[in-house]
Amino acid sequence: MIALTTDPIDVASALKYLQSSQAGAIDLFLGVVRDNTQDRPVDRLEYEAYDRMAISEMQKIADEAHQRWSILRYTIIHRKGTLLTGEIAVLIGVTTAHRADAFEACRYIIDTIKQTVPIWKKEVFTDGEVWVNAHP
């Protein structure tokens, strides 16, 4: 399951989707909006995406992860729009038989998304704003 959404991410639904009787591990990564960046207070984040290309690129990343690790299920959900402190911006979930594969695949997916997927983040401060380059 891969999605871009303006709605809050439902962690419980994602976890339910990831469950499998064959699974020994479910790794769940949540990227959360924090209240500061480089000692500057963050008011909010604004995400924009080139939807069709972003979905396509996330699918390629998931396919590559599936080839490298024995993934039973996965989900990638990324928010768009305005997000406030504490809100979940991205959820990556990976289900595997063993924990090492789940950890490695999940990290690969989030790091590669930040490097290659056309999703842009603007950090809005009380005294200005800045578009942020993707970085793992």
Side-chain angles (χ1 to χ4, degrees), residues 8 10 18 26 36 48-49 61 68 73 90 96 99 103 110-111 113 119 127:
D10 184 342
L18 290 166
I26 298 174
N36 70 86
E48 293 183 10
I61 293 164
R68 291 183 182 196
R73 290 184 178 228
V90 61
T96 62
R99 70 179 175 271
F103 283 129
I110 188 59
D111 287 352
I113 284 171
I119 298 173
D127 62 348

PDB file of all heavy atoms in Angstrom, residues 8 10 18 26 36 48-49 61 68 73 90 96 99 103 110-111 113 119 127:
ATOM      1  N   PRO A   8      -4.750  13.033   8.200  1.00  0.00           N
ATOM      2  CA  PRO A   8      -3.831  12.460   9.198  1.00  0.00           C
ATOM      3  C   PRO A   8      -3.612  10.973   8.935  1.00  0.00           C
ATOM      4  O   PRO A   8      -4.528  10.267   8.495  1.00  0.00           O
ATOM      5  CB  PRO A   8      -4.561  12.685  10.522  1.00  0.00           C
ATOM      6  CG  PRO A   8      -5.448  13.868  10.265  1.00  0.00           C
ATOM      7  CD  PRO A   8      -5.885  13.713   8.821  1.00  0.00           C
ATOM      8  N   ASP A  10      -3.311   7.226   9.793  1.00  0.00           N
ATOM      9  CA  ASP A  10      -3.913   6.325  10.782  1.00  0.00           C
ATOM     10  C   ASP A  10      -2.938   5.174  11.053  1.00  0.00           C
ATOM     11  O   ASP A  10      -2.874   4.205  10.293  1.00  0.00           O
ATOM     12  CB  ASP A  10      -5.241   5.808  10.249  1.00  0.00           C
ATOM     13  CG  ASP A  10      -5.999   4.947  11.242  1.00  0.00           C
ATOM     14  OD1 ASP A  10      -5.398   4.451  12.221  1.00  0.00           O
ATOM     15  OD2 ASP A  10      -7.208   4.759  11.026  1.00  0.00           O
ATOM     16  N   LEU A  18      -0.357  -4.373   8.087  1.00  0.00           N
ATOM     17  CA  LEU A  18       0.962  -5.010   8.053  1.00  0.00           C
ATOM     18  C   LEU A  18       1.002  -6.381   8.728  1.00  0.00           C
ATOM     19  O   LEU A  18       1.917  -7.162   8.481  1.00  0.00           O
ATOM     20  CB  LEU A  18       1.999  -4.097   8.713  1.00  0.00           C
ATOM     21  CG  LEU A  18       2.341  -2.838   7.934  1.00  0.00           C
ATOM     22  CD1 LEU A  18       3.106  -1.856   8.826  1.00  0.00           C
ATOM     23  CD2 LEU A  18       3.128  -3.167   6.686  1.00  0.00           C
ATOM     24  N   ILE A  26       7.601  -6.635  12.526  1.00  0.00           N
ATOM     25  CA  ILE A  26       6.999  -5.494  11.837  1.00  0.00           C
ATOM     26  C   ILE A  26       7.788  -4.278  12.289  1.00  0.00           C
ATOM     27  O   ILE A  26       7.856  -3.970  13.477  1.00  0.00           O
ATOM     28  CB  ILE A  26       5.516  -5.313  12.190  1.00  0.00           C
ATOM     29  CG1 ILE A  26       4.699  -6.528  11.757  1.00  0.00           C
ATOM     30  CG2 ILE A  26       4.974  -4.025  11.546  1.00  0.00           C
ATOM     31  CD1 ILE A  26       3.242  -6.479  12.195  1.00  0.00           C
ATOM     32  N   ASN A  36      11.461  22.318  16.297  1.00  0.00           N
ATOM     33  CA  ASN A  36      12.629  23.155  16.022  1.00  0.00           C
ATOM     34  C   ASN A  36      13.506  22.523  14.964  1.00  0.00           C
ATOM     35  O   ASN A  36      13.479  21.317  14.766  1.00  0.00           O
ATOM     36  CB  ASN A  36      13.445  23.369  17.310  1.00  0.00           C
ATOM     37  CG  ASN A  36      14.134  22.094  17.740  1.00  0.00           C
ATOM     38  OD1 ASN A  36      15.231  21.799  17.289  1.00  0.00           O
ATOM     39  ND2 ASN A  36      13.486  21.313  18.603  1.00  0.00           N
ATOM     40  N   GLU A  48       4.612  19.649  -0.405  1.00  0.00           N
ATOM     41  CA  GLU A  48       4.045  19.602  -1.743  1.00  0.00           C
ATOM     42  C   GLU A  48       4.656  18.406  -2.456  1.00  0.00           C
ATOM     43  O   GLU A  48       5.778  17.997  -2.147  1.00  0.00           O
ATOM     44  CB  GLU A  48       4.367  20.880  -2.523  1.00  0.00           C
ATOM     45  CG  GLU A  48       3.696  22.111  -1.973  1.00  0.00           C
ATOM     46  CD  GLU A  48       3.966  23.349  -2.808  1.00  0.00           C
ATOM     47  OE1 GLU A  48       4.521  23.225  -3.931  1.00  0.00           O
ATOM     48  OE2 GLU A  48       3.638  24.446  -2.333  1.00  0.00           O
ATOM     49  N   ALA A  49       3.912  17.868  -3.417  1.00  0.00           N
ATOM     50  CA  ALA A  49       4.405  16.695  -4.153  1.00  0.00           C
ATOM     51  C   ALA A  49       3.913  16.734  -5.585  1.00  0.00           C
ATOM     52  O   ALA A  49       2.868  17.315  -5.895  1.00  0.00           O
ATOM     53  CB  ALA A  49       3.919  15.418  -3.483  1.00  0.00           C
ATOM     54  N   ILE A  61      10.898   2.144  -5.279  1.00  0.00           N
ATOM     55  CA  ILE A  61      11.687   1.920  -4.059  1.00  0.00           C
ATOM     56  C   ILE A  61      11.182   0.680  -3.331  1.00  0.00           C
ATOM     57  O   ILE A  61      11.976  -0.159  -2.890  1.00  0.00           O
ATOM     58  CB  ILE A  61      11.627   3.166  -3.154  1.00  0.00           C
ATOM     59  CG1 ILE A  61      12.350   4.338  -3.824  1.00  0.00           C
ATOM     60  CG2 ILE A  61      12.219   2.871  -1.775  1.00  0.00           C
ATOM     61  CD1 ILE A  61      12.040   5.690  -3.210  1.00  0.00           C
ATOM     62  N   ARG A  68      15.546  -7.000  -2.441  1.00  0.00           N
ATOM     63  CA  ARG A  68      16.709  -7.126  -1.559  1.00  0.00           C
ATOM     64  C   ARG A  68      16.410  -7.899  -0.273  1.00  0.00           C
ATOM     65  O   ARG A  68      17.300  -8.536   0.280  1.00  0.00           O
ATOM     66  CB  ARG A  68      17.216  -5.740  -1.161  1.00  0.00           C
ATOM     67  CG  ARG A  68      17.829  -4.964  -2.287  1.00  0.00           C
ATOM     68  CD  ARG A  68      18.350  -3.658  -1.759  1.00  0.00           C
ATOM     69  NE  ARG A  68      18.923  -2.846  -2.806  1.00  0.00           N
ATOM     70  CZ  ARG A  68      19.713  -1.817  -2.586  1.00  0.00           C
ATOM     71  NH1 ARG A  68      20.025  -1.468  -1.352  1.00  0.00           N
ATOM     72  NH2 ARG A  68      20.193  -1.125  -3.585  1.00  0.00           N
ATOM     73  N   ARG A  73       4.894  -7.817   3.657  1.00  0.00           N
ATOM     74  CA  ARG A  73       3.989  -6.687   3.408  1.00  0.00           C
ATOM     75  C   ARG A  73       4.748  -5.391   3.637  1.00  0.00           C
ATOM     76  O   ARG A  73       5.710  -5.357   4.396  1.00  0.00           O
ATOM     77  CB  ARG A  73       2.793  -6.713   4.347  1.00  0.00           C
ATOM     78  CG  ARG A  73       1.829  -7.821   4.080  1.00  0.00           C
ATOM     79  CD  ARG A  73       0.624  -7.719   4.980  1.00  0.00           C
ATOM     80  NE  ARG A  73      -0.283  -8.788   4.635  1.00  0.00           N
ATOM     81  CZ  ARG A  73      -1.573  -8.632   4.425  1.00  0.00           C
ATOM     82  NH1 ARG A  73      -2.118  -7.455   4.562  1.00  0.00           N
ATOM     83  NH2 ARG A  73      -2.325  -9.658   4.105  1.00  0.00           N
ATOM     84  N   VAL A  90       5.223  11.093   7.680  1.00  0.00           N
ATOM     85  CA  VAL A  90       5.442   9.902   6.858  1.00  0.00           C
ATOM     86  C   VAL A  90       5.415   8.659   7.737  1.00  0.00           C
ATOM     87  O   VAL A  90       5.875   8.687   8.877  1.00  0.00           O
ATOM     88  CB  VAL A  90       6.777   9.994   6.067  1.00  0.00           C
ATOM     89  CG1 VAL A  90       7.967  10.106   6.992  1.00  0.00           C
ATOM     90  CG2 VAL A  90       6.955   8.833   5.102  1.00  0.00           C
ATOM     91  N   THR A  96       8.334  -8.654   7.870  1.00  0.00           N
ATOM     92  CA  THR A  96       9.213  -9.726   7.406  1.00  0.00           C
ATOM     93  C   THR A  96       9.174 -10.876   8.411  1.00  0.00           C
ATOM     94  O   THR A  96       8.637 -10.737   9.514  1.00  0.00           O
ATOM     95  CB  THR A  96      10.673  -9.245   7.268  1.00  0.00           C
ATOM     96  OG1 THR A  96      11.151  -8.849   8.558  1.00  0.00           O
ATOM     97  CG2 THR A  96      10.784  -8.070   6.294  1.00  0.00           C
ATOM     98  N   ARG A  99      13.638  -9.877  12.143  1.00  0.00           N
ATOM     99  CA  ARG A  99      13.786  -8.449  12.443  1.00  0.00           C
ATOM    100  C   ARG A  99      14.869  -7.743  11.632  1.00  0.00           C
ATOM    101  O   ARG A  99      14.693  -6.592  11.255  1.00  0.00           O
ATOM    102  CB  ARG A  99      14.012  -8.241  13.940  1.00  0.00           C
ATOM    103  CG  ARG A  99      15.354  -8.702  14.459  1.00  0.00           C
ATOM    104  CD  ARG A  99      15.492  -8.431  15.962  1.00  0.00           C
ATOM    105  NE  ARG A  99      16.718  -8.990  16.454  1.00  0.00           N
ATOM    106  CZ  ARG A  99      16.868 -10.218  16.920  1.00  0.00           C
ATOM    107  NH1 ARG A  99      15.839 -11.039  16.940  1.00  0.00           N
ATOM    108  NH2 ARG A  99      18.037 -10.636  17.342  1.00  0.00           N
ATOM    109  N   PHE A 103      14.214  -4.150   9.766  1.00  0.00           N
ATOM    110  CA  PHE A 103      14.955  -2.920  10.070  1.00  0.00           C
ATOM    111  C   PHE A 103      15.674  -2.381   8.830  1.00  0.00           C
ATOM    112  O   PHE A 103      15.589  -1.188   8.517  1.00  0.00           O
ATOM    113  CB  PHE A 103      15.998  -3.157  11.167  1.00  0.00           C
ATOM    114  CG  PHE A 103      15.428  -3.225  12.556  1.00  0.00           C
ATOM    115  CD1 PHE A 103      15.738  -4.292  13.386  1.00  0.00           C
ATOM    116  CD2 PHE A 103      14.615  -2.215  13.059  1.00  0.00           C
ATOM    117  CE1 PHE A 103      15.242  -4.357  14.671  1.00  0.00           C
ATOM    118  CE2 PHE A 103      14.112  -2.267  14.343  1.00  0.00           C
ATOM    119  CZ  PHE A 103      14.419  -3.344  15.158  1.00  0.00           C
ATOM    120  N   ILE A 110      12.931   4.642   3.716  1.00  0.00           N
ATOM    121  CA  ILE A 110      12.818   6.051   4.112  1.00  0.00           C
ATOM    122  C   ILE A 110      14.005   6.859   3.599  1.00  0.00           C
ATOM    123  O   ILE A 110      13.833   7.978   3.120  1.00  0.00           O
ATOM    124  CB  ILE A 110      12.616   6.232   5.638  1.00  0.00           C
ATOM    125  CG1 ILE A 110      12.312   7.709   5.972  1.00  0.00           C
ATOM    126  CG2 ILE A 110      13.797   5.729   6.438  1.00  0.00           C
ATOM    127  CD1 ILE A 110      11.088   8.291   5.310  1.00  0.00           C
ATOM    128  N   ASP A 111      15.207   6.328   3.689  1.00  0.00           N
ATOM    129  CA  ASP A 111      16.377   7.069   3.208  1.00  0.00           C
ATOM    130  C   ASP A 111      16.299   7.331   1.707  1.00  0.00           C
ATOM    131  O   ASP A 111      16.625   8.421   1.243  1.00  0.00           O
ATOM    132  CB  ASP A 111      17.674   6.324   3.539  1.00  0.00           C
ATOM    133  CG  ASP A 111      18.042   6.384   5.006  1.00  0.00           C
ATOM    134  OD1 ASP A 111      17.395   7.130   5.774  1.00  0.00           O
ATOM    135  OD2 ASP A 111      18.999   5.675   5.400  1.00  0.00           O
ATOM    136  N   ILE A 113      13.527   7.401  -0.177  1.00  0.00           N
ATOM    137  CA  ILE A 113      12.431   8.348  -0.431  1.00  0.00           C
ATOM    138  C   ILE A 113      12.934   9.777  -0.282  1.00  0.00           C
ATOM    139  O   ILE A 113      12.679  10.636  -1.119  1.00  0.00           O
ATOM    140  CB  ILE A 113      11.241   8.080   0.513  1.00  0.00           C
ATOM    141  CG1 ILE A 113      10.472   6.849   0.033  1.00  0.00           C
ATOM    142  CG2 ILE A 113      10.321   9.299   0.606  1.00  0.00           C
ATOM    143  CD1 ILE A 113       9.415   6.374   0.994  1.00  0.00           C
ATOM    144  N   ILE A 119       8.911  15.082  -3.366  1.00  0.00           N
ATOM    145  CA  ILE A 119       8.104  15.642  -2.283  1.00  0.00           C
ATOM    146  C   ILE A 119       8.957  16.724  -1.662  1.00  0.00           C
ATOM    147  O   ILE A 119      10.110  16.484  -1.301  1.00  0.00           O
ATOM    148  CB  ILE A 119       7.729  14.574  -1.230  1.00  0.00           C
ATOM    149  CG1 ILE A 119       6.880  13.475  -1.872  1.00  0.00           C
ATOM    150  CG2 ILE A 119       6.995  15.228  -0.050  1.00  0.00           C
ATOM    151  CD1 ILE A 119       6.590  12.289  -0.961  1.00  0.00           C
ATOM    152  N   ASP A 127       9.605  33.729  12.173  1.00  0.00           N
ATOM    153  CA  ASP A 127      10.280  34.862  11.538  1.00  0.00           C
ATOM    154  C   ASP A 127      10.704  34.584  10.088  1.00  0.00           C
ATOM    155  O   ASP A 127      11.628  35.185   9.578  1.00  0.00           O
ATOM    156  CB  ASP A 127      11.504  35.267  12.360  1.00  0.00           C
ATOM    157  CG  ASP A 127      12.544  34.164  12.445  1.00  0.00           C
ATOM    158  OD1 ASP A 127      12.251  33.006  12.075  1.00  0.00           O
ATOM    159  OD2 ASP A 127      13.671  34.451  12.896  1.00  0.00           O
TER     160      ASP A 127
END
